Amino acid sequence: MDIPRQNASNKKRKRILIGSAAAAGLLLTTLALGRLPQAAPTVEKATVWTDSVRRGTMLRQVRAPGTLVPEQIQYVSAVTAGRVEQIAVRPPAAVTPGTVLLELSNPDVQLEALDADRQLVAAQAQLASLGMQLRTGRLSQEGAQATARSEYEEAKRTLTLTEALDKKGMATPMELQRARDRVEETRTRLEAEQDRLKIMGGSVQDQLDLQRRQIERLRAISKFQQERVASMRVTAGAPGGVLQTLPLELGQWVTPGQVLATIAQPGRLKAVLRVPETQAKDVVLGQPVSIDTRNGTVDGKVMRIDPAVQGGTVTVEVALVGELPKGARPDLSVDGTIEVERLVNVLYVGRPAYGQPESTVGLFKLDPDGVTARRVNVKLGRSSVNTIEVVQGLNPGDRVIISDMSQWENVDRVKLK
């Protein structure tokens, strides 16, 4: 039996219409689902930290690790070279000014001291010999002067007698002239002997003074050499304390100027903190500091800031005020908190795990129901150890998540359960 062509065409058209309607319905469904809000991921409430935004006074603080070191350290250095013969004490022994730390030996130093003593004794003997010679010479000159004076007086008497004889015609003119010449000669000789004695007196004193200065110089050299010998018996020196280091062994050779030991005064300690260079710009002299020794805390003040940066940190020295906690000793590891500024009447919140000062970050702010949290952009300001200033984006009383939420950085809403 023949089937009419019109019926077949109608069925085909009907199938096309049904297919088109189904495709359109699927497209509309897809678009509708795409416009639906994305389901918020669920976050365990016990795994996040939240904090409330507060208005008030915010303390800006810088925290840094460090150690306790003696406020005064005495370095004991070698005066002369020598070999270590004996070590009397070892750290951490308590020492007094007269405590012997170690003994050195150096034959050359001892020989130099003996030679200096020999030269000093020789100079002293020379002074004694010179004094005797000069005194003997002076006595001889005084004798020569006395002889010249005697001859001069005799010549004057002879002249007087000759002049008397001449008046009586009993002396010739030649005898009279000879008598006068004799007086002149003896007078000149007497003056010469007197001048020689005067010059000799001044010369004697100069020679003795010169020799005495030579003796003083040699005495100073001898004393220095004796001190070098004595320095090989190394003592703690004033004011003593606790021996910290003595890095030497028997038989070791030391050189002049080498540090033999360090001595610290007990009870006088300071804290040396290593502040990160990015935070050191806010630290100034006189700022209050709290030092945690793990056995207690002690207050202090910033007394010195190293101008150089070493290993990314700046060294800050803190003078401690008050009694130290028990167990405080040199080289003890401590934590220091420096108060750098007080910000009055500002908004602040606990410092987020990923928030940096003077930046804008996305924080999850809890809704009033406390179940959902939405991302908001927050502008942050100055920071402290545990808090940070809120410049824009939050209000007092808002609660935000401050723990690490980096794994949810692609969502704008989370659900807490």
Side-chain angles (χ1 to χ4, degrees):
M1 181 175 77
D2 295 334
I3 299 175
R5 296 178 60 87
Q6 184 177 358
N7 291 339
S9 177
N10 290 337
K11 291 180 179 181
K12 185 177 180 181
R13 187 179 298 109
K14 186 177 181 179
R15 287 196 298 269
I16 294 174
L17 292 174
I18 292 173
S20 299
L26 180 61
L27 178 61
L28 292 175
T29 301
T30 303
L31 293 175
L33 291 176
R35 292 182 178 180
L36 289 176
Q38 185 178 2
T42 301
V43 180
E44 290 288 340
K45 192 173 184 178
T47 62
V48 298
W49 290 88
T50 63
D51 194 23
S52 298
V53 179
R54 301 177 293 278
R55 178 177 291 279
T57 300
M58 170 183 154
L59 292 180
R60 290 190 62 211
Q61 298 173 323
V62 173
R63 180 172 296 170
T67 55
L68 293 182
V69 299
E71 190 171 315
Q72 291 185 356
I73 298 179
Q74 175 190 353
Y75 291 90
V76 181
S77 303
V79 177
T80 182
R83 191 179 308 279
V84 179
E85 294 293 340
Q86 181 182 356
I87 298 177
V89 293
R90 289 286 189 180
V95 296
T96 59
T99 302
V100 177
L101 304 181
L102 61 127
E103 293 187 9
L104 307 175
S105 65
N106 188 338
D108 293 338
V109 175
Q110 295 174 337
L111 289 175
E112 290 173 359
L114 292 175
D115 184 64
D117 288 341
R118 181 190 61 78
Q119 294 183 26
L120 175 60
V121 172
Q124 290 173 337
Q126 185 177 356
L127 175 62
S129 176
L130 178 63
M132 182 177 295
Q133 292 177 5
L134 293 176
R135 284 194 296 272
T136 301
R138 182 180 179 84
L139 291 175
S140 299
Q141 183 59 35
E142 289 176 350
Q145 177 181 327
T147 301
R149 179 177 289 107
S150 176
E151 292 178 352
Y152 174 61
E153 294 298 332
E154 179 64 24
K156 287 197 300 181
R157 287 192 292 269
T158 301
L159 176 60
T160 302
L161 179 59
T162 302
E163 288 177 345
L165 293 175
D166 180 62
K167 289 180 180 180
K168 296 179 180 181
M170 300 175 62
T172 65
M174 184 176 294
E175 291 176 340
L176 180 61
Q177 186 61 39
R178 185 182 297 115
R180 290 174 178 171
D181 292 342
R182 178 62 179 171
V183 170
E184 185 65 21
E185 176 188 357
T186 55
R187 183 183 63 80
T188 303
R189 184 181 299 169
L190 176 59
E191 291 176 354
E193 294 298 338
Q194 289 175 339
D195 292 341
R196 186 177 292 111
L197 181 61
K198 187 182 297 184
I199 293 173
M200 182 176 290
S203 175
V204 166
Q205 191 61 39
D206 292 342
Q207 292 183 65
L208 292 176
D209 290 343
L210 181 61
Q211 187 63 24
R212 290 191 182 99
R213 286 195 294 270
Q214 176 70 3
I215 289 175
E216 291 301 321
R217 185 179 69 85
L218 293 175
R219 181 176 286 115
I221 294 176
S222 177
K223 181 180 179 182
F224 173 74
Q225 295 295 347
Q226 292 296 335
E227 289 176 351
R228 291 183 66 199
V229 174
S231 70
M232 293 192 292
R233 185 179 175 88
V234 182
T235 58
V242 177
L243 181 63
Q244 278 197 305
T245 62
L246 201 160
L248 299 173
E249 298 296 337
L250 293 177
Q252 186 173 344
W253 184 265
V254 300
T255 58
Q258 180 177 341
V259 176
L260 305 179
T262 56
I263 301 173
Q265 294 187 16
R268 302 185 62 180
L269 301 176
K270 64 181 178 181
V272 177
L273 305 179
R274 297 178 295 277
V275 179
E277 59 180 330
T278 56
Q279 302 178 17
K281 59 183 178 62
D282 297 322
V283 180
V284 297
L285 297 178
Q287 289 176 338
V289 186
S290 177
I291 301 297
D292 184 4
T293 65
R294 276 85 173 179
N295 289 328
T297 60
V298 59
D299 295 331
K301 287 187 177 182
V302 176
M303 68 174 182
R304 180 181 176 274
I305 303 173
D306 198 318
V309 178
Q310 296 181 354
T313 62
V314 175
T315 300
V316 176
E317 296 183 4
V318 178
L320 303 181
V321 180
E323 185 178 356
L324 293 174
K326 292 183 178 179
R329 62 188 64 189
D331 297 328
L332 179 68
S333 297
V334 297
D335 288 322
T337 303
I338 306 173
E339 183 181 320
V340 298
E341 187 178 7
R342 285 178 176 263
L343 303 179
V344 181
N345 194 26
V346 296
L347 281 179
Y348 65 94
V349 70
R351 186 167 180 172
Y354 48 89
Q356 298 298 323
E358 309 296 340
S359 65
T360 301
V361 297
L363 297 180
F364 284 96
K365 183 177 73 170
L366 273 67
D367 290 340
D369 58 10
V371 176
T372 58
R374 302 178 185 275
R375 183 187 297 274
V376 295
N377 288 329
V378 178
K379 185 177 181 180
L380 303 177
R382 293 161 289 186
S383 67
S384 183
V385 176
N386 298 317
T387 57
I388 194 166
E389 181 186 12
V390 176
V391 178
Q392 186 178 354
L394 294 174
N395 296 311
D398 290 345
R399 295 182 61 203
V400 293
I401 299 175
I402 60 175
S403 56
D404 188 6
M405 297 290 287
S406 57
Q407 59 179 324
W408 312 112
E409 61 181 2
N410 295 324
V411 300
D412 293 329
R413 187 167 61 97
V414 294
K415 184 177 182 181
L416 304 180
K417 71 171 183 177

PDB file of all heavy atoms in Angstrom, residues 31-57:
ATOM      1  N   LEU A  31      22.351  29.097  31.167  1.00  0.00           N
ATOM      2  CA  LEU A  31      22.485  30.517  31.498  1.00  0.00           C
ATOM      3  C   LEU A  31      21.939  30.823  32.882  1.00  0.00           C
ATOM      4  O   LEU A  31      22.520  31.610  33.647  1.00  0.00           O
ATOM      5  CB  LEU A  31      21.761  31.368  30.452  1.00  0.00           C
ATOM      6  CG  LEU A  31      22.373  31.361  29.044  1.00  0.00           C
ATOM      7  CD1 LEU A  31      21.486  32.141  28.068  1.00  0.00           C
ATOM      8  CD2 LEU A  31      23.772  31.966  29.083  1.00  0.00           C
ATOM      9  N   ALA A  32      20.839  30.177  33.208  1.00  0.00           N
ATOM     10  CA  ALA A  32      20.244  30.427  34.521  1.00  0.00           C
ATOM     11  C   ALA A  32      21.152  29.927  35.638  1.00  0.00           C
ATOM     12  O   ALA A  32      21.339  30.581  36.660  1.00  0.00           O
ATOM     13  CB  ALA A  32      18.871  29.756  34.595  1.00  0.00           C
ATOM     14  N   LEU A  33      21.733  28.741  35.409  1.00  0.00           N
ATOM     15  CA  LEU A  33      22.640  28.214  36.433  1.00  0.00           C
ATOM     16  C   LEU A  33      23.893  29.068  36.567  1.00  0.00           C
ATOM     17  O   LEU A  33      24.454  29.225  37.650  1.00  0.00           O
ATOM     18  CB  LEU A  33      23.023  26.764  36.081  1.00  0.00           C
ATOM     19  CG  LEU A  33      21.883  25.734  36.202  1.00  0.00           C
ATOM     20  CD1 LEU A  33      22.364  24.366  35.722  1.00  0.00           C
ATOM     21  CD2 LEU A  33      21.382  25.640  37.640  1.00  0.00           C
ATOM     22  N   GLY A  34      24.369  29.605  35.432  1.00  0.00           N
ATOM     23  CA  GLY A  34      25.556  30.452  35.478  1.00  0.00           C
ATOM     24  C   GLY A  34      25.324  31.728  36.248  1.00  0.00           C
ATOM     25  O   GLY A  34      26.261  32.314  36.800  1.00  0.00           O
ATOM     26  N   ARG A  35      24.060  32.183  36.236  1.00  0.00           N
ATOM     27  CA  ARG A  35      23.763  33.425  36.955  1.00  0.00           C
ATOM     28  C   ARG A  35      23.502  33.211  38.440  1.00  0.00           C
ATOM     29  O   ARG A  35      23.429  34.169  39.194  1.00  0.00           O
ATOM     30  CB  ARG A  35      22.564  34.108  36.326  1.00  0.00           C
ATOM     31  CG  ARG A  35      22.860  34.633  34.918  1.00  0.00           C
ATOM     32  CD  ARG A  35      21.670  35.358  34.343  1.00  0.00           C
ATOM     33  NE  ARG A  35      21.949  35.896  33.016  1.00  0.00           N
ATOM     34  CZ  ARG A  35      21.061  36.581  32.303  1.00  0.00           C
ATOM     35  NH1 ARG A  35      19.827  36.794  32.792  1.00  0.00           N
ATOM     36  NH2 ARG A  35      21.397  37.050  31.122  1.00  0.00           N
ATOM     37  N   LEU A  36      23.377  31.989  38.826  1.00  0.00           N
ATOM     38  CA  LEU A  36      23.170  31.727  40.246  1.00  0.00           C
ATOM     39  C   LEU A  36      24.451  32.026  41.019  1.00  0.00           C
ATOM     40  O   LEU A  36      25.562  31.804  40.529  1.00  0.00           O
ATOM     41  CB  LEU A  36      22.780  30.261  40.463  1.00  0.00           C
ATOM     42  CG  LEU A  36      21.368  29.872  39.992  1.00  0.00           C
ATOM     43  CD1 LEU A  36      21.168  28.379  40.189  1.00  0.00           C
ATOM     44  CD2 LEU A  36      20.301  30.661  40.755  1.00  0.00           C
ATOM     45  N   PRO A  37      24.409  32.584  42.253  1.00  0.00           N
ATOM     46  CA  PRO A  37      25.611  32.860  43.052  1.00  0.00           C
ATOM     47  C   PRO A  37      26.348  31.567  43.358  1.00  0.00           C
ATOM     48  O   PRO A  37      25.731  30.526  43.617  1.00  0.00           O
ATOM     49  CB  PRO A  37      25.062  33.518  44.319  1.00  0.00           C
ATOM     50  CG  PRO A  37      23.625  33.092  44.396  1.00  0.00           C
ATOM     51  CD  PRO A  37      23.154  32.944  42.981  1.00  0.00           C
ATOM     52  N   GLN A  38      27.708  31.664  43.289  1.00  0.00           N
ATOM     53  CA  GLN A  38      28.553  30.498  43.554  1.00  0.00           C
ATOM     54  C   GLN A  38      28.423  30.082  45.010  1.00  0.00           C
ATOM     55  O   GLN A  38      28.393  30.919  45.907  1.00  0.00           O
ATOM     56  CB  GLN A  38      30.019  30.828  43.245  1.00  0.00           C
ATOM     57  CG  GLN A  38      30.956  29.653  43.375  1.00  0.00           C
ATOM     58  CD  GLN A  38      32.373  30.037  43.007  1.00  0.00           C
ATOM     59  OE1 GLN A  38      32.625  31.200  42.687  1.00  0.00           O
ATOM     60  NE2 GLN A  38      33.269  29.077  43.041  1.00  0.00           N
ATOM     61  N   ALA A  39      28.343  28.819  45.235  1.00  0.00           N
ATOM     62  CA  ALA A  39      28.210  28.318  46.601  1.00  0.00           C
ATOM     63  C   ALA A  39      29.470  28.639  47.400  1.00  0.00           C
ATOM     64  O   ALA A  39      30.597  28.456  46.916  1.00  0.00           O
ATOM     65  CB  ALA A  39      27.962  26.816  46.581  1.00  0.00           C
ATOM     66  N   ALA A  40      29.326  29.189  48.618  1.00  0.00           N
ATOM     67  CA  ALA A  40      30.467  29.571  49.456  1.00  0.00           C
ATOM     68  C   ALA A  40      31.157  28.324  49.988  1.00  0.00           C
ATOM     69  O   ALA A  40      30.486  27.419  50.512  1.00  0.00           O
ATOM     70  CB  ALA A  40      29.994  30.443  50.606  1.00  0.00           C
ATOM     71  N   PRO A  41      32.511  28.261  49.886  1.00  0.00           N
ATOM     72  CA  PRO A  41      33.221  27.103  50.457  1.00  0.00           C
ATOM     73  C   PRO A  41      33.141  27.141  51.985  1.00  0.00           C
ATOM     74  O   PRO A  41      33.008  28.197  52.591  1.00  0.00           O
ATOM     75  CB  PRO A  41      34.658  27.285  49.977  1.00  0.00           C
ATOM     76  CG  PRO A  41      34.788  28.739  49.712  1.00  0.00           C
ATOM     77  CD  PRO A  41      33.443  29.202  49.239  1.00  0.00           C
ATOM     78  N   THR A  42      33.196  25.984  52.553  1.00  0.00           N
ATOM     79  CA  THR A  42      33.080  25.857  54.005  1.00  0.00           C
ATOM     80  C   THR A  42      34.472  25.808  54.641  1.00  0.00           C
ATOM     81  O   THR A  42      35.365  25.102  54.146  1.00  0.00           O
ATOM     82  CB  THR A  42      32.296  24.595  54.369  1.00  0.00           C
ATOM     83  OG1 THR A  42      30.993  24.670  53.764  1.00  0.00           O
ATOM     84  CG2 THR A  42      32.147  24.467  55.881  1.00  0.00           C
ATOM     85  N   VAL A  43      34.653  26.565  55.721  1.00  0.00           N
ATOM     86  CA  VAL A  43      35.914  26.617  56.448  1.00  0.00           C
ATOM     87  C   VAL A  43      35.651  26.234  57.902  1.00  0.00           C
ATOM     88  O   VAL A  43      34.670  26.689  58.505  1.00  0.00           O
ATOM     89  CB  VAL A  43      36.542  28.025  56.383  1.00  0.00           C
ATOM     90  CG1 VAL A  43      37.857  28.055  57.163  1.00  0.00           C
ATOM     91  CG2 VAL A  43      36.763  28.445  54.941  1.00  0.00           C
ATOM     92  N   GLU A  44      36.512  25.361  58.423  1.00  0.00           N
ATOM     93  CA  GLU A  44      36.372  24.982  59.815  1.00  0.00           C
ATOM     94  C   GLU A  44      36.600  26.202  60.706  1.00  0.00           C
ATOM     95  O   GLU A  44      37.641  26.859  60.630  1.00  0.00           O
ATOM     96  CB  GLU A  44      37.383  23.897  60.176  1.00  0.00           C
ATOM     97  CG  GLU A  44      37.097  22.546  59.544  1.00  0.00           C
ATOM     98  CD  GLU A  44      35.884  21.878  60.182  1.00  0.00           C
ATOM     99  OE1 GLU A  44      35.524  22.269  61.312  1.00  0.00           O
ATOM    100  OE2 GLU A  44      35.306  20.986  59.531  1.00  0.00           O
ATOM    101  N   LYS A  45      35.642  26.512  61.558  1.00  0.00           N
ATOM    102  CA  LYS A  45      35.728  27.686  62.407  1.00  0.00           C
ATOM    103  C   LYS A  45      36.881  27.578  63.408  1.00  0.00           C
ATOM    104  O   LYS A  45      37.502  28.586  63.778  1.00  0.00           O
ATOM    105  CB  LYS A  45      34.405  27.874  63.144  1.00  0.00           C
ATOM    106  CG  LYS A  45      34.276  29.220  63.848  1.00  0.00           C
ATOM    107  CD  LYS A  45      32.888  29.398  64.411  1.00  0.00           C
ATOM    108  CE  LYS A  45      32.715  30.784  65.027  1.00  0.00           C
ATOM    109  NZ  LYS A  45      31.346  30.997  65.549  1.00  0.00           N
ATOM    110  N   ALA A  46      37.193  26.357  63.806  1.00  0.00           N
ATOM    111  CA  ALA A  46      38.258  26.175  64.793  1.00  0.00           C
ATOM    112  C   ALA A  46      39.648  26.407  64.214  1.00  0.00           C
ATOM    113  O   ALA A  46      40.615  26.533  64.961  1.00  0.00           O
ATOM    114  CB  ALA A  46      38.179  24.767  65.389  1.00  0.00           C
ATOM    115  N   THR A  47      39.750  26.461  62.880  1.00  0.00           N
ATOM    116  CA  THR A  47      41.058  26.606  62.246  1.00  0.00           C
ATOM    117  C   THR A  47      41.400  28.061  61.915  1.00  0.00           C
ATOM    118  O   THR A  47      42.474  28.313  61.379  1.00  0.00           O
ATOM    119  CB  THR A  47      41.124  25.777  60.957  1.00  0.00           C
ATOM    120  OG1 THR A  47      40.139  26.258  60.026  1.00  0.00           O
ATOM    121  CG2 THR A  47      40.869  24.299  61.254  1.00  0.00           C
ATOM    122  N   VAL A  48      40.506  28.992  62.174  1.00  0.00           N
ATOM    123  CA  VAL A  48      40.763  30.389  61.823  1.00  0.00           C
ATOM    124  C   VAL A  48      40.822  31.224  63.089  1.00  0.00           C
ATOM    125  O   VAL A  48      40.227  30.889  64.123  1.00  0.00           O
ATOM    126  CB  VAL A  48      39.687  30.942  60.861  1.00  0.00           C
ATOM    127  CG1 VAL A  48      39.698  30.178  59.556  1.00  0.00           C
ATOM    128  CG2 VAL A  48      38.309  30.907  61.502  1.00  0.00           C
ATOM    129  N   TRP A  49      41.576  32.340  62.989  1.00  0.00           N
ATOM    130  CA  TRP A  49      41.677  33.310  64.076  1.00  0.00           C
ATOM    131  C   TRP A  49      40.929  34.566  63.660  1.00  0.00           C
ATOM    132  O   TRP A  49      41.089  35.058  62.545  1.00  0.00           O
ATOM    133  CB  TRP A  49      43.121  33.657  64.362  1.00  0.00           C
ATOM    134  CG  TRP A  49      43.910  32.554  65.000  1.00  0.00           C
ATOM    135  CD1 TRP A  49      44.588  31.578  64.376  1.00  0.00           C
ATOM    136  CD2 TRP A  49      44.053  32.326  66.392  1.00  0.00           C
ATOM    137  NE1 TRP A  49      45.183  30.733  65.268  1.00  0.00           N
ATOM    138  CE2 TRP A  49      44.874  31.169  66.533  1.00  0.00           C
ATOM    139  CE3 TRP A  49      43.596  32.961  67.542  1.00  0.00           C
ATOM    140  CZ2 TRP A  49      45.213  30.659  67.774  1.00  0.00           C
ATOM    141  CZ3 TRP A  49      43.943  32.462  68.774  1.00  0.00           C
ATOM    142  CH2 TRP A  49      44.750  31.311  68.883  1.00  0.00           C
ATOM    143  N   THR A  50      40.117  35.065  64.567  1.00  0.00           N
ATOM    144  CA  THR A  50      39.385  36.296  64.293  1.00  0.00           C
ATOM    145  C   THR A  50      39.735  37.338  65.337  1.00  0.00           C
ATOM    146  O   THR A  50      40.194  37.024  66.435  1.00  0.00           O
ATOM    147  CB  THR A  50      37.869  36.047  64.305  1.00  0.00           C
ATOM    148  OG1 THR A  50      37.463  35.613  65.612  1.00  0.00           O
ATOM    149  CG2 THR A  50      37.483  35.000  63.261  1.00  0.00           C
ATOM    150  N   ASP A  51      39.518  38.594  64.976  1.00  0.00           N
ATOM    151  CA  ASP A  51      39.763  39.691  65.910  1.00  0.00           C
ATOM    152  C   ASP A  51      38.804  40.811  65.593  1.00  0.00           C
ATOM    153  O   ASP A  51      38.332  40.958  64.436  1.00  0.00           O
ATOM    154  CB  ASP A  51      41.207  40.174  65.816  1.00  0.00           C
ATOM    155  CG  ASP A  51      41.567  41.074  66.992  1.00  0.00           C
ATOM    156  OD1 ASP A  51      40.904  40.964  68.041  1.00  0.00           O
ATOM    157  OD2 ASP A  51      42.503  41.888  66.856  1.00  0.00           O
ATOM    158  N   SER A  52      38.526  41.638  66.599  1.00  0.00           N
ATOM    159  CA  SER A  52      37.602  42.753  66.442  1.00  0.00           C
ATOM    160  C   SER A  52      38.371  44.048  66.233  1.00  0.00           C
ATOM    161  O   SER A  52      39.430  44.264  66.829  1.00  0.00           O
ATOM    162  CB  SER A  52      36.702  42.881  67.685  1.00  0.00           C
ATOM    163  OG  SER A  52      35.919  41.729  67.860  1.00  0.00           O
ATOM    164  N   VAL A  53      37.828  44.901  65.411  1.00  0.00           N
ATOM    165  CA  VAL A  53      38.409  46.216  65.168  1.00  0.00           C
ATOM    166  C   VAL A  53      38.099  47.102  66.369  1.00  0.00           C
ATOM    167  O   VAL A  53      36.950  47.180  66.822  1.00  0.00           O
ATOM    168  CB  VAL A  53      37.856  46.832  63.874  1.00  0.00           C
ATOM    169  CG1 VAL A  53      38.454  48.219  63.651  1.00  0.00           C
ATOM    170  CG2 VAL A  53      38.156  45.921  62.694  1.00  0.00           C
ATOM    171  N   ARG A  54      39.136  47.762  66.886  1.00  0.00           N
ATOM    172  CA  ARG A  54      38.972  48.599  68.068  1.00  0.00           C
ATOM    173  C   ARG A  54      39.510  49.996  67.785  1.00  0.00           C
ATOM    174  O   ARG A  54      40.372  50.188  66.945  1.00  0.00           O
ATOM    175  CB  ARG A  54      39.732  48.000  69.260  1.00  0.00           C
ATOM    176  CG  ARG A  54      39.284  46.594  69.615  1.00  0.00           C
ATOM    177  CD  ARG A  54      40.103  45.999  70.740  1.00  0.00           C
ATOM    178  NE  ARG A  54      41.489  45.763  70.372  1.00  0.00           N
ATOM    179  CZ  ARG A  54      41.922  44.704  69.711  1.00  0.00           C
ATOM    180  NH1 ARG A  54      41.066  43.785  69.301  1.00  0.00           N
ATOM    181  NH2 ARG A  54      43.201  44.563  69.432  1.00  0.00           N
ATOM    182  N   ARG A  55      38.964  50.955  68.540  1.00  0.00           N
ATOM    183  CA  ARG A  55      39.475  52.325  68.481  1.00  0.00           C
ATOM    184  C   ARG A  55      40.042  52.673  69.848  1.00  0.00           C
ATOM    185  O   ARG A  55      39.417  52.443  70.874  1.00  0.00           O
ATOM    186  CB  ARG A  55      38.377  53.316  68.094  1.00  0.00           C
ATOM    187  CG  ARG A  55      38.881  54.775  68.061  1.00  0.00           C
ATOM    188  CD  ARG A  55      37.792  55.719  67.610  1.00  0.00           C
ATOM    189  NE  ARG A  55      37.467  55.528  66.213  1.00  0.00           N
ATOM    190  CZ  ARG A  55      38.156  56.039  65.189  1.00  0.00           C
ATOM    191  NH1 ARG A  55      39.234  56.773  65.431  1.00  0.00           N
ATOM    192  NH2 ARG A  55      37.785  55.822  63.958  1.00  0.00           N
ATOM    193  N   GLY A  56      41.239  53.234  69.816  1.00  0.00           N
ATOM    194  CA  GLY A  56      41.880  53.598  71.076  1.00  0.00           C
ATOM    195  C   GLY A  56      43.356  53.847  70.867  1.00  0.00           C
ATOM    196  O   GLY A  56      43.798  54.246  69.772  1.00  0.00           O
ATOM    197  N   THR A  57      44.140  53.631  71.925  1.00  0.00           N
ATOM    198  CA  THR A  57      45.585  53.843  71.872  1.00  0.00           C
ATOM    199  C   THR A  57      46.280  52.550  71.466  1.00  0.00           C
ATOM    200  O   THR A  57      46.107  51.521  72.113  1.00  0.00           O
ATOM    201  CB  THR A  57      46.115  54.312  73.234  1.00  0.00           C
ATOM    202  OG1 THR A  57      45.478  55.544  73.593  1.00  0.00           O
ATOM    203  CG2 THR A  57      47.629  54.529  73.177  1.00  0.00           C
TER     204      THR A  57
END
